[in-house]
Each structure stands twice: as C-alpha cells, then as structure tokens.
Amino acid sequence: PEFSLSAIRFALVESLPAATVFVFTDAPAKDAELRDTVVSLANQKNIKITFLISGTLTRRRRSVSRGKREVGNRDTYIYIAQATGGQVLEIEKDEVFQTTRLVDLVVTSAEVSLLTMQNVQSSVRAHNIPVDSTMRDLVIQVTAVGATLEV
C-alpha cells in the first residue's frame, strides 16, 4: 500500500481549476480515509481524476482496516473517479508507455464531453453524437466489461 490519496490531495491543491489529474498506480491506498476529502477538493476545483491501475489492483479485493488507517482497494479509486467525472483504466505494466498517448491527448486538447453515461444496463443501444466542422479531433471512449463499439 502507498499514501496515494495524500499525493492526490497535494496534486489537487497545486492544480489549476478544470484540470485532469492522472494517477498511475499498482498499489492500494494506504490512506483511504482521505477519499471524501479528495473528492470534495476535486469537485470544488472541477478537476477530473483518472486512474490507470495495474498489478494486483486489477483483481477485486476487500477493504482492510488496520488500526486507525483504512487501506483501500480498487473500489476506492473507482469511487473517486466516478465522483469526479474521471475514469479507471486497468492496464498491464507493459502498456504504461502506450497510455501516455491518452494523457497527451487530454493535456493538449480543449476537451468537451458530448455524452457521458454511467451504470447503464447492458444492451445494444445507438447514440447520436453531434459532430460539426469546428471539431478537429473526436475521441470516443467506452469503458465497461465486455463493451464493444461500432462507429
């Protein structure tokens, strides 16, 4: 475990409003008791937090309480990402370099979210996304277990 939420809290304090904070980790949060503080600060500054997790975090485990410190699991990161409009992406360690392209795209673009859906029942659905000539790039991202996308 690591003090990841303390580090995220520090990053939020130093970040400009409306930023995106990316967290690369392979360890559970040793300071999970800061979860609501992190969410509150991120929402005050309109900051999205996206986690790129690997290693043992990609397998489900229960939260464990050790004395005063609460040790979180991947659900701690999922909660924070959902509460701030971010995402949790599970990656293999050898994919870390490739995922930096996503970070670069977010950092260098004027991102506008056109459609966001959470906790949608699984089924085949069609969604219209308005696109016009003022858009230079279009990124469609689907995050779900077993999700497929047809454009």
Side-chain angles (χ1 to χ4, degrees), residues 26-130:
D26 63 354
K30 193 172 186 177
D31 49 358
E33 71 276 2
L34 295 176
R35 183 191 77 173
D36 293 335
T37 302
V38 165
V39 168
S40 177
L41 183 56
N43 287 333
Q44 286 172 20
K45 295 181 78 172
N46 192 29
I47 295 174
K48 295 178 185 178
I49 303 174
T50 291
F51 294 90
L52 294 102
I53 62 173
S54 63
T56 59
L57 277 176
T58 60
R59 296 187 293 268
R60 288 195 170 272
R61 295 191 323 184
R62 289 186 9 235
S63 283
V64 178
S65 182
R66 293 188 181 158
K68 285 183 147 183
R69 286 238 175 256
E70 182 181 336
V71 177
N73 58 17
R74 68 194 293 273
D75 293 334
T76 301
Y77 298 137
I78 290 169
Y79 179 88
I80 292 170
Q82 288 178 342
T84 63
Q87 296 185 7
V88 174
L89 305 174
E90 295 182 0
I91 61 173
E92 297 295 322
K93 289 191 185 226
D94 62 354
E95 297 173 324
V96 171
F97 182 75
Q98 293 171 320
T99 60
T100 60
R101 291 186 205 154
L102 170 66
V103 175
D104 186 48
L105 179 64
V106 171
V107 170
T108 61
S109 70
E111 179 184 327
V112 176
S113 183
L114 300 174
L115 176 66
T116 301
M117 300 170 57
Q118 290 183 346
N119 302 325
V120 177
Q121 297 294 327
S122 61
S123 65
V124 175
R125 295 180 188 225
H127 300 284
N128 292 320
I129 301 172

Side-chain angles (χ1 to χ4, degrees), residues 2-29:
E2 58 194 20
F3 291 106
S4 56
L5 300 192
S6 295
I8 294 167
R9 183 177 58 186
F10 179 77
L12 293 171
V13 168
E14 297 299 320
S15 294
L16 294 172
T20 299
V21 171
F22 290 92
V23 179
F24 290 80
T25 187
D26 63 354

